[in-house]
Amino acid sequence: MSTTDTDNGRDQEELGAAGSQLSTAPREEPVSAGPGLGVLGWARWFWRQLTSMRVALLLLLLLSLAAIPGSLIPQTGADVNKVDAFRQAHKTLGPVYDKLGLFHVYSSVWFSAIYILLFVSLIGCIIPRTWQFVGQLRGRPPGAPKRLTRLPAHTTWRTTADPEQVREAALALLKKRRFRAHVAGDAVAAEKGYLREVGNLAFHIALIVLLVAFASGQLYKSDGTKLMVEGDGFSNALPMYDDFRSGSLFKPDDLVPFSFDLKDFRGTYEISGPNRGTPRTFEAKIAYSKGADGKEQRTTIKVNEPLKIGDSKVYLVSHGYAPVVTVRDGKGTVVYHDAVPLLPLDGNVTSNGVVKVMDGYRDPQGKKDQLGFQAFFVPTFDPKAGTMLSRFPALLNPLLAVNAYHGNLGVNSGQAQSVYQLDTTHMKAFKDAKGQLLKKLLQPGDTMQLPNGAGSITFDKQVKEWAGFEIVQEPGSGWALGGALAAIFGLAASLFIQRRRVWVRAVRGADGVTVVEMAGLGRSESAKVPEELGDLAGILYDQAPGAPDGPEAEPDGASDSDVPATEGVEN
């Protein structure tokens, strides 16, 4: 063993309690995993490994990696149709992903195992650290080591002041600097920086809060969409949704009771310049009420400014146009009159959709029949462009292109079909005089007559707008936000606050002159401890100035005015 190792060992023995417990991190003691360990020994060894900070960080990394497939691979909880399409397109990977649970990552066994182990590991880390930290708060800073000059940052000088006066001045100074200080024997012991451990514990507790909030959010969440034309109403019940997804523990009774009507929708766009056509504002004016008998209130939902009702948030996510059309039979009887929402195809809201007349129509022979119209709509038509594409997203020159079919729409087959698509498998197209598919471009107020007295379709002069809403209910979102903020502040405190100790010893020397020793100790090597110690030493030196070293001291006392050096350099 070298001389340096011997000195280091001696230093640790001399520091004793003074150099311990600067952190609440549990001491890692090697545990033999030999054949004679026994069941209890193996359990203790496994628990120590699981609750170590190293394993907690490893589990946190594994959880982050395990969440990646949930973002890259279609999930059954988000979109079952995409999962089915993936299985059809990947005949080999599909069964493998099914066995590995990659289509439902967040509810899979292996993801849950990592999640639960991380939860237990964090709790196992927090409980002993909290208990140890409470014990440190209830106690006092440990007394000074025997040899303060062996600490990394120290200074010493001689003064004519009495030891008691020096200790009283040091105690007052340290308390003024927000140190916890007390007199222990012939020295003053002080400690500062407890917020570091508070931040450390807050960070770990915040991670547990985040885990709980994430779990509750996934289990009890709900997410649905609804397309509403101006004038339509919505009640927060399952049958009212166009599409709905929820967590495994969600129940329909968990939906927050409320309703709202879409009164008006307005969108504005840049009308000139390089950003012409770029949306400026989207606003949905609604009237809503909470509960079954709530008072009606009015508000405006904007992009990124949702309506908040309890745990539910109503987001404005899309918009488009719904031309009002009227369909009549051969006798002029109105069999359909409604606004038809069409789906946008581009940024200028070029849209398409269908009009389905399912009931009430009879052909010229008086037989029941069904009509289907394919519709293509542009809010701003430019005749000079030569294409049926909108030149601007606002309603400047609307034009509706339609073609017509009759026959069986397939809505009575029991199979689900999109309201925005027309299945022409069992339908016949209306033909014009040339035997071609009957189609026509309609301006507001125009009518297309069906051949042989089959009726007509009119593009009314009114074009409504529709808005798409997403209703999200996440009961754990508030806790998740609070946990995230607490984790950030806790981590910042644990990184930037340093826990350190300062000792001031004042004893009378053999020649009757008081010897003052000051030393500081931090958890890690940092320039803050010697700088702070030098500052404290300078202030205390002014209150207990240095004494002449002997007959050779300068008569003008210039040496007394020098502030004692720190960083192990004695004055």
Side-chain angles (χ1 to χ4, degrees):
M1 181 180 295
S2 66
T3 304
T4 303
D5 293 338
T6 304
D7 293 340
N8 291 337
R10 188 183 300 112
D11 291 345
Q12 293 298 328
E13 292 179 2
E14 291 180 354
L15 285 176
S20 65
Q21 296 183 348
L22 273 172
S23 170
T24 57
R27 300 179 182 87
E28 294 188 5
E29 300 177 0
V31 179
S32 173
L37 193 60
V39 177
L40 186 60
W42 275 107
R44 185 181 295 112
W45 177 84
F46 177 79
W47 176 253
R48 288 183 180 179
Q49 299 302 313
L50 180 61
T51 57
S52 66
M53 185 55 59
R54 184 185 306 108
V55 173
L57 293 175
L58 179 61
L59 289 172
L60 188 61
L61 175 62
L62 287 177
L63 189 69
S64 302
L65 295 176
I68 294 178
S71 302
L72 302 179
I73 300 174
Q75 300 294 293
T76 54
D79 195 330
V80 178
N81 294 328
K82 286 187 177 180
V83 174
D84 293 338
F86 187 92
R87 290 194 181 104
Q88 293 295 328
H90 303 83
K91 299 294 185 181
T92 304
L93 284 179
V96 176
Y97 284 4
D98 272 321
K99 292 181 179 179
L100 295 177
L102 295 180
F103 291 125
H104 50 91
V105 169
Y106 304 114
S107 60
S108 63
V109 175
W110 52 272
F111 188 87
S112 301
I114 299 174
Y115 196 91
I116 294 173
L117 284 175
L118 177 59
F119 193 84
V120 173
S121 178
L122 288 173
I123 294 178
C125 289
I126 289 172
I127 292 177
R129 293 175 75 116
T130 303
W131 186 255
Q132 183 180 352
F133 185 55
V134 170
Q136 294 178 14
L137 291 178
R138 295 178 62 183
R140 288 186 169 187
K146 294 180 180 180
R147 304 178 64 181
L148 293 178
T149 55
R150 285 188 173 272
L151 270 65
H154 67 273
T155 185
T156 180
W157 73 93
R158 292 154 51 87
T159 181
T160 56
D162 292 334
E164 293 78 8
Q165 295 177 348
V166 176
R167 288 194 288 268
E168 290 177 3
L171 182 63
L173 173 62
L174 291 170
K175 286 185 175 180
K176 185 178 180 181
R177 292 296 184 93
R178 298 189 300 276
F179 279 83
R180 292 181 64 202
H182 70 106
V183 178
D186 59 358
V188 176
E191 189 168 358
K192 189 178 183 180
Y194 288 90
L195 285 179
R196 177 189 181 94
E197 299 305 328
V198 174
N200 202 343
L201 293 173
F203 173 73
H204 288 81
I205 295 173
L207 288 182
I208 292 182
V209 173
L210 281 172
L211 291 176
V212 174
F214 177 77
S216 63
Q218 292 296 315
L219 294 175
Y220 294 97
K221 74 174 182 178
S222 66
D223 187 351
T225 58
K226 178 64 178 179
L227 186 149
M228 298 176 62
V229 180
E230 291 172 324
D232 287 352
F234 171 82
S235 179
N236 195 25
L238 286 182
M240 297 294 294
Y241 283 91
D242 296 333
D243 180 46
F244 188 82
R245 301 179 297 273
S246 64
S248 57
L249 297 183
F250 173 83
K251 295 180 294 184
D253 294 340
D254 295 332
L255 287 173
V256 177
F258 68 89
S259 60
F260 68 92
D261 298 331
L262 178 60
K263 297 298 184 180
D264 185 44
F265 179 87
R266 285 291 180 268
T268 61
Y269 310 88
E270 293 288 347
I271 60 176
S272 62
N275 295 323
R276 184 178 185 272
T278 302
R280 296 178 60 186
T281 59
F282 288 144
E283 299 179 349
K285 296 182 179 180
I286 68 168
Y288 72 97
S289 60
K290 302 177 183 179
D293 302 317
K295 182 179 179 181
E296 183 178 275
Q297 305 177 60
R298 292 181 178 267
T299 188
T300 300
I301 302 178
K302 302 178 182 179
V303 178
N304 297 326
E305 295 183 18
L307 170 65
K308 299 179 182 179
I309 303 178
D311 289 332
S312 290
K313 294 181 180 180
V314 182
Y315 292 90
L316 176 62
V317 295
S318 58
H319 92 289
Y321 293 104
V324 178
V325 299
T326 301
V327 179
R328 296 177 173 84
D329 60 14
K331 297 180 179 180
T333 303
V334 176
V335 295
Y336 182 92
H337 175 75
D338 204 355
V340 183
L342 305 178
L343 298 182
L345 299 176
D346 56 26
N348 286 327
V349 203
T350 302
S351 310
N352 70 349
V354 298
V355 180
K356 296 181 181 181
V357 181
M358 296 176 286
D359 300 308
Y361 174 76
R362 292 180 180 274
D363 63 14
Q365 288 75 35
K367 296 181 180 180
K368 290 184 177 180
D369 201 359
Q370 294 177 333
L371 298 177
F373 300 89
Q374 291 179 333
F376 196 85
F377 177 78
V378 289
T380 300
F381 176 68
D382 184 4
K384 299 179 180 179
T387 59
M388 188 63 178
L389 292 176
S390 178
R391 309 302 296 177
F392 194 74
L395 288 171
L396 300 182
N397 184 24
L399 190 69
L400 180 67
V402 294
N403 52 44
Y405 295 83
H406 69 98
N408 184 5
L409 290 170
V411 295
N412 299 323
S413 63
Q415 296 182 352
Q417 62 175 236
S418 173
V419 297
Y420 304 105
Q421 295 179 349
L422 183 64
D423 184 5
T424 60
T425 304
H426 303 289
M427 304 192 75
K428 294 181 180 180
F430 283 103
K431 304 291 185 178
D432 58 16
K434 297 180 180 179
Q436 303 294 324
L437 175 66
L438 179 65
K439 54 186 178 181
K440 188 175 181 180
L441 300 179
L442 304 176
Q443 292 181 334
D446 290 350
T447 299
M448 182 180 75
Q449 296 291 337
L450 301 179
N452 303 320
S456 64
I457 179 172
T458 301
F459 176 20
D460 294 354
K461 294 184 178 181
Q462 183 182 14
V463 178
K464 293 185 177 182
E465 297 190 57
W466 61 260
F469 297 95
E470 182 177 10
I471 298 91
V472 179
Q473 185 167 323
E474 295 177 329
S477 58
W479 286 98
L481 177 60
L485 294 176
I488 293 174
F489 287 114
L491 182 61
S494 64
L495 291 176
F496 298 108
I497 297 177
Q498 184 180 10
R499 192 170 172 185
R500 62 270 191 198
R501 290 175 180 151
V502 173
W503 294 277
V504 181
R505 175 177 285 131
V507 296
R508 195 175 299 278
D511 56 356
V513 178
T514 301
V515 179
V516 182
E517 293 180 337
M518 290 187 67
L521 182 65
R523 180 181 173 184
S524 59
E525 294 294 335
S526 172
K528 186 173 184 178
V529 173
E531 288 178 1
E532 187 174 35
L533 184 67
D535 182 35
L536 293 171
I539 297 175
L540 186 60
Y541 186 85
D542 292 338
Q543 302 179 26
D549 291 336
E552 298 181 357
E554 296 180 11
D556 58 358
S559 61
D560 293 347
S561 63
D562 295 334
V563 176
T566 56
E567 295 272 11
V569 180
E570 298 183 9
N571 188 44

